[in-house]
Amino acid sequence: MSVKETKTRPVEKAAVPGDEQEREQLNALIAKVKAAQVKYAEYTQEQVDAIFAAAALAANNARIPLAQMAVAESGMGVVEDKVIKNHFAAEYIYNKYRDMKTCGVIEENEAMGIAKVAEPVGVIAGIVPTTNPTSTAIFKSLLALKTRNGIIFSPHPRAKKCTVAAAKIVLDAAVKAGAPENIIGWIDEPSVALSGHLMSHPDISLILATGGPGMVKAAYSSGTPAVGVGPGNVPVVIGDTCDIRMAVSSILQSKTFDNGMICASEQSVTALASIYDDVKKEFTYRGGYILSKEEAKKVGDVIQIDGKLNPKIVGQSACRIAEMAGIKVPAGTKVLIGETDGVGPDYPFSREKLSPVLALYKAKTYEDAVENAKKLLEYGGLGHTSVLYTNSQNFERAKYFGHMMMSSRTLVNMPSSQGAIGDIYNFALNPSLTLGCGSWGGNSVSENVTPKHLLNIKSIVKRRENMLWVRIPQKVYFKYGCLPTALGDLEGRRRAFVVTDKFLYSSGMLADLQHKLDSMNIAYKVFADVEPDPTIQLARRGLEQINSFQPDVIIAVGGGSPIDAAKIMWLMYEHPEIRFEDVAMRFMDIRKRIVRLPELGKKAMMVAVPTTSGTGSEVTPFAVITDADTGNKYPIADYALTPNMAIIDTQLVMKLPKQLTAYSGIDALTHALEARVSVMASDYTNALAMEAAKLIFENLPRCYHDGPMDEEAREHMHNASAMAGMAFANAFLGVCHSMAHKLGGMYHVPHGLANAMLICEVIRYNATDCPTKQGTFPQYKYPHAKAAYANLATYCGLDGRDDDERVENLIEAIEKLKAELEIPKSLKAYGIDEKTFLDNLDELAVKAFDDQCTGANPRYPLIEEIKQMLLNVYYGR
């Protein structure tokens, strides 16, 4: 609720200058939030956790519009990066603290006779900066709700609308889930006077202060307990044993994130003399611009004016800052880099810059480099963050660096912006958007602010790669005519529910299946109503029959639609309480999603029998369901949906029509290509993807031209489809599928055809060592999609003199294959109206950006880049 929604009430208040009526309105707001908090303090852990989950879901849903509002209102930062910050503030914070006990007894030791009891502090004043106006509001709201506190926000005047919008979204969701009506409030028209009055009010129990040094100092000086942050003049040391490509790529990935506005972003790099020139060369290659002495002087004059940071450069692009300095840099320059040799007011590059500008130092020895980093911290970043790049086994250097740095976060081998906030590049560091600097930075906490923080804790954090996996059905049977034999594994089952479509049922293709079930005395019921793009309504009709029949095995026979429908029915049969809106929520990491599916199989096992060679659905954890009433498509992704058994019987695909053979075959090839370059690719998925691609190149034309008579080609193609499915089931897909999904939803372009028209454009887009933005996943150390494509090309017999030529040969081979399969050359040639396409292009690009597949793409796409790819594919190259 806001100040404007309150009634005035006389209270005893501190003498703070400002308009009397505004202060009285704020007093009334504080009284209402306090009353709500007193009521909320009596809630149980179960009630609090339900509210916490609902609020996180609502904030996550609004991540894109809130990011757009923040950039539009503040004029700073990058929409796509603010989307990530909003997403992180909702998903990662919820995932980390979802199971934390915050109500009543949270720890007890009977033997020692001690119990710890959690109680809320009361009403919190939340100070929100202009640099992170929505993600900070989401983060602080969720922490307050989890700990049964009320919170009142004082937004930054230049970002007040988007901060209020974020707070209102969380409030509305919390109240709907059962929280008191006034548990979150905000000042509509913030001012220094009102912020001061809020922080010093006797009914405010704690201040969560995130913002500039002046505001944080005011919070600590208010007389109210405060948790705040300090400035982050983050130094980086690049040692002579590090992976230079990873180090430079990580620094650029971090420094360009939201145009360098994260307080934990790198401000300086000190490289050892022995590798200094190599570091400069790598920076230049990856999109950095090394300023000449004259250019550095001009940029320095723009960075600092009268000894203070120039606010006009904050959150602006490198090219914009160069323009302000009157110098010209190449288009697409990511970061401006000034070589310097001093620290202090006379060296503007040595300060915190909150923009994509870096200082570059040369050091003779490792000890000299560390000493320089220490001076940089002392100049403007004590207690915040420092970064070291070194060989991961060089423990002594890491220990020495950590000992010398007076920083609460000492990061090893990771991008600082994404590394310091926790839970992305090291999973033991708590996720947070308020980073305490301890007594070194004048703060009350020295760690990432969480629901519990009491001590100065110094963390030395090494980059860690999370466990990867290969999860496929427990049993996969393959070979011509294997269906009856494979079904023998159902011995002991009593009732089978068969899901298929009318064509397959009426064509007699289920005869072998039915005969085998009869011979095993397994009663069965056939549901043959599945149509393309299965709906929730259809699944519910099937569920009614399932609940009546009570099967102990569900058998899906068909293409992607029957298998997807069967998966959804299986889910609803085992867990009728599941809401599709929740499990379809997009996630950044499948292991950290807000809503997870429980394991399936307690009532029935799942058997998938594909009759097309393309979707790979029989071996994947994915399903898509449409709500016919709203038109919403829900892509469900969870390993619980992986079938228990897949039967890859070539006999069932011998008579596939030519067009379906072409579209499904290119779909399978796209699965292999995207899995190969995914940020989550592994040795296991690479092997599956490359062999699948090779088989498809060799056998898809034969299937297309003479499929009914070419059993060998059909068998290889059917196996390749399943192998590509296994690859992308574990490595995920990329932006090609993101765009294909949305083209299918908006213009009903067949999925395989959409992928066919898009894939070469996506390969060209991804195949660069210097992308605009790098995909974020701990295993993905630096951009190498070009090399991955080239590796696949060589494996498929498409060699060349270098990686660039191999990639071109791969694209040429795909284009030749598409021509042979009679694939239209463009979306325009396919028949989509030009005006309609252009009118919907912005919406199409945003939806593709927000597709679940986008996050695994090796080049993290900007919305404008997606638009350009769609335009290229619409008109054809």
Side-chain angles (χ1 to χ4, degrees):
M1 66 178 296
S2 73
V3 167
K4 291 183 178 178
E5 296 167 2
T6 65
K7 296 180 180 179
T8 59
R9 174 183 70 86
V11 299
E12 186 176 338
K13 56 186 181 297
V16 178
D19 182 80
E20 184 69 17
Q21 183 178 3
E22 288 182 336
R23 289 204 308 271
E24 290 299 329
Q25 289 175 338
L26 180 53
N27 291 336
L29 171 63
I30 295 170
K32 287 195 172 186
V33 176
K34 181 180 178 181
Q37 189 278 322
V38 169
K39 187 185 301 182
Y40 192 40
E42 302 302 318
Y43 278 39
T44 66
Q45 188 73 63
E46 183 179 3
Q47 290 173 305
V48 166
D49 289 347
I51 291 165
F52 186 47
L57 278 170
N60 206 11
N61 261 324
R63 60 194 178 277
I64 290 181
L66 286 175
Q68 292 170 326
M69 285 182 67
V71 172
E73 186 176 5
S74 69
M76 298 186 295
V78 180
V79 168
E80 291 84 352
D81 291 339
K82 289 191 184 295
V83 171
I84 292 178
K85 288 197 281 190
N86 292 337
H87 206 156
F88 176 91
E91 179 176 288
Y92 276 57
I93 297 308
Y94 178 82
N95 175 76
K96 182 66 176 182
Y97 306 120
R98 59 189 295 166
D99 298 322
M100 179 184 284
K101 292 182 179 180
T102 56
C103 304
V105 177
I106 60 172
E107 186 180 329
E108 190 170 16
N109 187 322
E110 281 290 334
M112 298 297 292
I114 186 172
K116 295 183 179 180
V117 179
E119 297 289 350
V121 299
V123 180
I124 298 169
I127 310 302
V128 182
T130 186
T131 51
N132 302 298
T134 56
S135 54
T136 301
I138 293 168
F139 167 70
K140 292 182 177 180
S141 295
L142 290 179
L143 255 60
L145 291 172
K146 179 66 177 179
T147 52
R148 295 180 296 167
N149 289 302
I151 188 166
I152 299 173
F153 287 109
S154 177
H156 193 284
R158 297 206 310 270
K160 59 189 177 185
K161 293 179 182 177
C162 59
T163 296
V164 169
K168 189 175 188 307
I169 286 167
V170 176
L171 172 62
D172 290 346
V175 171
K176 187 175 180 181
E181 284 189 3
N182 302 320
I183 197 64
I184 298 174
W186 54 82
I187 300 173
D188 285 300
E189 297 295 335
S191 65
V192 173
L194 285 179
S195 294
H197 185 66
L198 174 67
M199 291 189 292
S200 61
H201 196 283
D203 286 336
I204 295 298
S205 302
L206 179 72
I207 303 169
L208 270 179
T210 310
M215 182 59 74
V216 174
K217 185 176 180 181
Y220 278 107
S221 304
S222 66
T224 303
V227 174
V229 301
N233 194 26
V234 179
V236 180
V237 169
I238 298 184
D240 54 6
T241 63
C242 79
D243 182 334
I244 294 176
R245 289 183 301 177
M246 183 185 77
V248 170
S249 294
S250 296
I251 292 166
L252 291 176
Q253 176 186 0
S254 172
K255 192 59 179 168
T256 58
F257 186 77
D258 210 19
N259 282 343
M261 283 198 295
I262 299 288
C263 59
S265 68
E266 300 85 341
Q267 301 300 324
S268 63
V269 174
T270 304
L272 267 65
S274 59
I275 59 168
Y276 186 82
D277 290 339
D278 291 337
V279 169
K280 285 178 61 177
K281 183 178 178 182
E282 188 69 12
F283 267 122
T284 302
Y285 178 64
R286 302 284 179 183
Y289 182 80
I290 309 294
L291 299 163
S292 67
K293 286 186 178 181
E294 294 75 18
E295 290 171 331
K297 174 66 170 61
K298 292 180 179 179
V299 172
D301 291 340
V302 170
I303 292 172
Q304 184 173 279
I305 298 177
D306 296 328
K308 296 180 179 179
L309 176 66
N310 178 5
K312 292 182 180 180
I313 73 166
V314 175
Q316 304 304 312
S317 69
C319 291
R320 173 70 185 121
I321 295 170
E323 183 182 335
M324 293 166 65
I327 66 172
K328 188 166 184 175
V329 299
T333 293
K334 294 179 178 181
V335 175
L336 303 178
I337 302 172
E339 296 179 275
T340 188
D341 58 3
V343 177
D346 296 331
Y347 301 90
F349 278 85
S350 68
R351 66 171 302 135
E352 182 184 38
K353 297 168 283 292
L354 297 176
S355 57
V357 180
L358 274 174
L360 182 60
Y361 295 86
K362 182 192 293 186
K364 291 182 180 179
T365 68
Y366 178 68
E367 290 73 19
D368 290 339
V370 174
E371 183 61 29
N372 191 58
K374 183 180 178 183
K375 290 178 181 177
L376 287 158
L377 265 183
E378 292 170 346
Y379 176 51
L382 275 176
H384 207 291
T385 304
S386 57
V387 186
L388 170 67
Y389 286 91
T390 188
N391 185 294
S392 62
Q393 298 302 306
N394 206 333
F395 302 116
E396 291 305 313
R397 280 200 169 181
K399 287 180 182 178
Y400 177 78
F401 186 77
H403 173 68
M404 294 296 292
M405 292 299 102
M406 285 190 288
S407 59
S408 299
R409 284 154 296 276
T410 302
L411 310 181
V412 181
N413 293 337
M414 68 183 78
S416 188
S417 294
Q418 296 89 340
I421 61 176
D423 212 20
I424 297 179
Y425 285 91
N426 182 284
F427 312 104
L429 187 63
N430 289 326
S432 179
L433 291 179
T434 298
L435 311 182
C437 298
S439 60
W440 302 303
N443 296 166
S444 59
V445 296
S446 60
E447 59 183 329
N448 289 6
V449 173
T450 72
K452 292 171 64 177
H453 47 274
L454 296 175
L455 302 173
N456 282 353
I457 300 175
K458 191 175 183 180
S459 302
I460 299 177
V461 185
K462 287 190 175 182
R463 182 176 181 145
R464 280 292 179 264
E465 297 179 3
N466 210 337
M467 180 193 73
L468 289 180
W469 57 85
V470 176
R471 297 182 64 173
I472 60 176
Q474 296 167 357
K475 297 180 181 180
V476 179
Y477 292 98
F478 58 95
K479 207 63 182 173
Y480 188 98
C482 69
L483 176 63
T485 304
L487 289 173
D489 267 12
L490 300 183
E491 190 69 45
R493 300 283 167 172
R494 293 290 175 259
R495 305 172 77 81
F497 190 79
V498 181
V499 180
T500 189
D501 58 43
K502 285 185 171 63
F503 171 77
L504 291 174
Y505 183 61
S506 61
S507 69
M509 289 187 69
L510 270 62
D512 287 346
L513 170 69
Q514 293 169 306
H515 177 72
K516 182 64 176 181
L517 294 176
D518 284 334
S519 70
M520 297 174 67
N521 294 317
I522 298 177
Y524 62 86
K525 184 177 183 62
V526 178
F527 181 84
D529 293 343
V530 178
E531 298 177 349
D533 295 322
T535 64
I536 293 173
Q537 291 73 13
L538 176 136
R540 286 177 179 148
R541 292 202 306 272
L543 180 63
E544 290 177 4
Q545 297 186 30
I546 290 177
N547 286 333
S548 174
F549 188 62
Q550 289 292 301
D552 54 8
V553 59
I554 296 173
I555 304 174
V557 183
S561 293
I563 295 176
D564 280 6
K567 288 179 180 179
I568 298 300
M569 293 177 198
W570 185 32
L571 171 61
M572 296 166 71
Y573 178 44
E574 302 243 351
H575 294 283
E577 75 281 2
I578 291 293
R579 281 168 29 98
F580 290 109
E581 296 90 338
D582 295 345
V583 295
M585 171 66 68
R586 199 192 145 184
F587 51 82
M588 291 174 68
D589 189 325
I590 196 169
R591 295 159 297 196
K592 297 181 171 71
R593 61 188 309 173
I594 294 174
V595 177
R596 302 176 184 178
L597 291 184
E599 289 298 319
L600 305 183
K602 292 182 179 179
K603 292 184 179 180
M605 70 177 292
M606 171 79 178
V607 178
V609 185
T611 60
T612 61
S613 302
T615 69
S617 185
E618 68 277 3
V619 294
T620 73
F622 308 119
V624 179
I625 194 77
T626 301
D627 188 334
D629 295 335
T630 64
N632 290 332
K633 275 196 173 185
Y634 296 111
I636 313 297
D638 198 286
Y639 284 104
L641 288 176
T642 305
N644 304 110
M645 181 191 299
I647 302 174
I648 318 297
D649 188 342
T650 312
Q651 186 177 4
L652 302 178
V653 295
M654 290 302 297
K655 297 181 180 180
L656 275 182
K658 290 184 69 173
Q659 188 179 74
L660 183 55
T661 296
Y663 291 178
S664 60
I666 291 290
D667 190 22
L669 179 60
T670 305
H671 293 160
L673 289 164
E674 294 215 281
R676 179 62 185 87
V677 299
S678 163
V679 297
M680 298 176 67
S682 68
D683 291 345
Y684 296 89
T685 61
N686 288 345
L688 288 164
M690 291 200 296
E691 182 63 17
K694 183 178 181 182
L695 289 171
I696 292 168
F697 275 121
E698 291 173 351
N699 294 281
L700 181 53
R702 289 168 58 185
C703 292
Y704 183 72
H705 293 298
D706 198 21
M709 301 303 295
D710 196 334
E711 179 184 327
E712 180 186 50
R714 283 291 191 194
E715 181 171 306
H716 285 313
M717 192 64 220
H718 210 28
N719 289 339
S721 171
M723 291 163 65
M726 293 176 191
F728 87 79
N730 295 281
F732 289 79
L733 295 164
V735 73
C736 183
H737 269 75
S738 300
M739 293 186 287
H741 290 155
K742 306 317 171 188
L743 284 171
M746 191 171 287
Y747 298 110
H748 307 291
V749 181
H751 180 65
L753 174 60
N755 275 322
M757 288 191 281
L758 289 162
I759 186 59
C760 290
E761 182 67 27
V762 169
I763 292 173
R764 292 187 182 95
Y765 173 75
N766 283 336
T768 174
D769 290 334
C770 188
T772 312
K773 289 188 179 293
Q774 176 181 327
T776 298
F777 196 68
Q779 276 79 4
Y780 199 69
K781 296 180 179 178
Y782 52 83
H784 57 264
K786 184 200 296 185
Y789 284 129
N791 175 243
L792 183 143
T794 299
Y795 188 80
C796 294
L798 305 168
D799 211 348
R801 290 170 298 180
D802 53 29
D803 284 353
D804 290 312
E805 187 171 306
R806 293 182 190 101
V807 172
E808 283 304 315
N809 290 342
L810 175 62
I811 292 172
E812 184 178 334
I814 296 171
E815 292 290 1
K816 181 179 177 182
L817 177 62
K818 286 161 56 176
E820 190 168 353
L821 301 179
E822 301 177 274
I823 301 291
K825 292 185 179 296
S826 67
L827 290 167
K828 187 173 184 179
Y830 175 69
I832 297 176
D833 176 70
E834 183 173 16
K835 184 178 185 307
T836 302
F837 180 81
L838 295 177
D839 287 346
N840 295 329
L841 182 58
D842 287 342
E843 179 186 358
L844 184 66
V846 171
K847 286 184 174 180
F849 169 77
D850 196 39
D851 188 88
Q852 185 60 61
C853 293
T854 300
N857 201 69
R859 179 175 180 175
Y860 186 71
L862 302 182
I863 294 171
E864 285 298 318
E865 292 173 339
I866 293 176
K867 283 173 62 176
Q868 189 58 55
M869 282 191 282
L870 288 166
L871 282 169
N872 292 345
V873 172
Y874 180 79
Y875 292 108
R877 279 183 177 255

